[in-house]
Structure formats: structure tokens, C-alpha cells
Amino acid sequence: MLRTVQATRYVTPLREGGSLPAIIEADDLGLYVLKFRGAGQGPLALLAELVAGEIGRALGLRVPELVFVEVDAVLGRNEPDSEIRDLLKRSVGLNLALDYLPGSTMFDPAAGDTADPELASLAVWFDAFVTNVDRTPRNPNLLKWHRELYFIDHGAALYFHHNWPSIEQAPWSLFPAIRSHVLLPWASAIDAADREAHTRLKTSTFETILDAVPDAWLLPETGDLTPAEKRGGYLRYFTERLAASSIFVEEATRVRAELV
Ligand SMILES: Nc1ncnc2c1ncn2[C@@H]1O[C@H](COP(=O)(O)OP(=O)(O)O)[C@@H](O)[C@H]1O
Ligand SMILES: [Mg+2]
């Protein structure tokens, strides 16, 4: 489901976050924002970026196209910055990137940006579903581009996977961070978003997305689970969290009522 391109040129680092993503050029002449496998957060951040991003797209949210990017040892060999050279060295092989949206700007309520209630509600539902904490007013990860909102940076989502045994309770977990969601003030139709999500997300949606995850990113850090068993765990998490969505829908609705 994802294309694979070859990185041909390291253009410039994006210094905002800690993971040091970069704009790169690829052999299809496209520019992409590359998320490095060798960055501190490791392959699970790329897995979250891919899986949460594609779930967002399946829900109808705008997510820049995601592609696999092959990085070879030649790329960045002449980078003067040793931190970047090391990062590139650790990331030789398969990485993940988003289509670069030139001229996009970050959503900023303080500057008067507002959002459509339907979109805001779907976004709140989505971030609660995938437990994404990175959608706050200070760090919205929401790009305005051609008058539309684009959702980026899902590497911190699915936090249960950093502590795999927590998967036993994770589908039913509350998501208190929803309180700080940048779009919560506009999310007046979370119930309708819930119904919409249930028509759009099927078990097969999750299966197709999980199949696209490279085996090597399904780290066997918990004993000896195989990649297939890990995929099965994620699938169970998504189907059970979807079935129990009223838990986080009620929470988001309640928190919003206190806010507005
Ligand atoms: N697809 C994109 N198009 C344009 N700019 C982007 C894109 N993806 C990221 N950026 C810019 O790069 C910054 C860092 O990328 P992000 O994915 O948020 O990584 P992190 O926050 O982990 O460093 C973003 O805040 C945004 O300004
Ligand atoms: Mg970010």
C-alpha cells in the first residue's frame, strides 16, 4: 500500500522536534520529510507514524502521503554535522517519510485559526483512538496547506507498545491527554464522529495497514513474539478499542463540557 523511494539528497534538517527529521529529495524528484529509523525513539516511532497515519487517512482525515525511503550509506557522507552523519549511518536501509507540503504553516488558535466542528470532532476521536499526545496548542502537528488541515507526526501514538504487557488493558484505557487537544474547543460533534468512524474502520482496514509494517519494525523486545504475533496484538488492540469507543468518546465529551 506504500510506495518505496530511494533518498538521493539530504536537503536540510527540521530542528523543531527531538527526532531530527529532515527534508530529503528522492529518486522520483519528490521532496519528503524523512523520519529516521535510527532516531532516539527507534523503529516503534516509525511503526506508530505509519499505522496511526494510515488509520487517520482511512477515517477521512488529510495525512500527507506516507512512503518508505531507502537510505544508503552514501547519503550524508559529506554532512558537516556529526550528529546528522551518525543519524544517517544508523538509518541505512528502510525509513519512513511524509510528502513535504511546501509553504504549509502550523495551525495556531492564538493567531485566530479555527476549525470546522465535524473535522475537529473526527480529529479528537482519532487521537483518542490511537492515543496520540502530540496535538496540543503548543505542539499541534497540524499543518494548514491550500486552506485545508493536514495531520502529521504520529510517532508518539500507540504508547501501549512501549510496554507490551499493558496491551491487556490498553483497549479500554482512558485518554486524559484529550484535555489538551488543540481542536477540542471546536469538537462539538464527537458522537457523530464516533458513528462515522464505525462505518469507516473495519477489521480489514487494520489488517491491510498492519500488513504494510516491515517485520523489522515489529521488534521482538517482549520475549519471543514473532512479527505475526505482534501484528495480531495490534489488531486485537484496534478492534477492541473500536468496540469500546464509547469509553473515550464519553471522556472527551465530558472534558470538553468543562472547557467550553
Ligand atoms: N509533510 C510536511 N510538510 C511540511 N512540513 C512538515 C511536514 N512534516 C513535518 N513538517 C515540519 O517539520 C516539523 C517537524 O516534523 P514532525 O513530524 O512534527 O517531527 P518531530 O516533531 O518529531 O520533530 C513540523 O513541526 C513541521 O513544521
Ligand atoms: Mg512534531
Side-chain angles (χ1 to χ4, degrees):
M1 75 187 289
L2 266 62
R3 296 188 295 127
T4 301
V5 298
Q6 178 87 37
T8 50
R9 188 165 65 96
Y10 184 94
V11 179
T12 188
L14 293 164
R15 289 257 174 210
E16 278 171 65
S19 65
L20 223 59
I23 300 177
I24 60 112
E25 190 175 83
D27 59 353
D28 63 351
L29 303 182
L31 291 177
Y32 297 91
V33 174
L34 184 56
K35 313 302 284 273
F36 291 100
R37 198 190 67 250
Q41 294 80 352
L44 288 182
L46 300 198
L47 184 153
E49 188 85 49
L50 192 172
V51 172
E54 291 302 328
I55 289 174
R57 194 188 317 285
L59 278 167
L61 298 173
R62 287 187 172 80
V63 178
E65 183 188 359
L66 288 163
V67 296
F68 291 121
V69 182
E70 281 287 351
V71 167
D72 71 30
V74 182
L75 189 78
R77 208 173 34 187
N78 300 322
E79 268 303 312
D81 185 327
S82 68
E83 193 187 352
I84 292 171
R85 264 199 327 272
D86 289 348
L87 180 59
L88 286 165
K89 233 187 268 171
R90 286 197 302 275
S91 303
V92 166
L94 211 57
N95 297 267
L96 191 71
L98 292 84
D99 192 24
Y100 175 63
L101 309 182
S104 57
T105 55
M106 201 57 86
F107 181 82
D108 183 4
D113 287 339
T114 62
D116 164 68
E118 211 174 300
L119 177 67
S121 303
L122 199 55
V124 163
W125 190 97
F126 166 60
D127 287 314
F129 182 65
V130 299
T131 62
N132 176 31
V133 294
D134 280 347
R135 201 90 67 202
T136 63
R138 278 191 54 196
N139 184 24
N141 291 303
L142 199 51
L143 295 176
K144 295 189 296 174
W145 193 59
H146 292 275
R147 298 168 199 271
E148 302 285 0
L149 291 181
Y150 284 78
F151 294 78
I152 62 160
D153 195 6
H154 302 113
L158 305 176
Y159 54 61
F160 77 86
H161 68 178
H162 296 288
N163 173 22
W164 193 256
S166 72
I167 195 171
E168 296 303 328
Q169 304 86 37
W172 302 276
S173 68
L174 288 174
F175 186 60
I178 205 64
R179 182 176 301 278
S180 316
H181 197 286
V182 65
L183 296 183
L184 190 59
W186 292 278
S188 56
I190 304 176
D191 281 327
D194 188 42
R195 288 192 293 276
E196 179 74 13
H198 278 263
T199 68
R200 295 204 176 200
L201 300 181
K202 305 282 172 225
T203 301
S204 60
T205 316
F206 303 129
E207 282 170 340
T208 306
I209 294 170
L210 290 166
D211 276 347
V213 178
D215 281 359
W217 298 358
L218 292 151
L219 288 185
E221 81 288 345
T222 47
D224 27 48
L225 291 183
T226 65
E229 287 165 340
K230 290 290 289 282
R231 280 195 189 84
Y234 285 102
L235 181 62
R236 201 160 10 93
Y237 170 82
F238 290 130
T239 51
E240 287 175 349
R241 194 160 180 79
L242 183 62
S245 64
S246 61
I247 295 176
F248 63 78
V249 164
E250 275 164 28
E251 181 192 33
T253 306
R254 182 178 47 74
V255 168
R256 180 169 182 276
E258 291 166 10
L259 193 86
V260 292

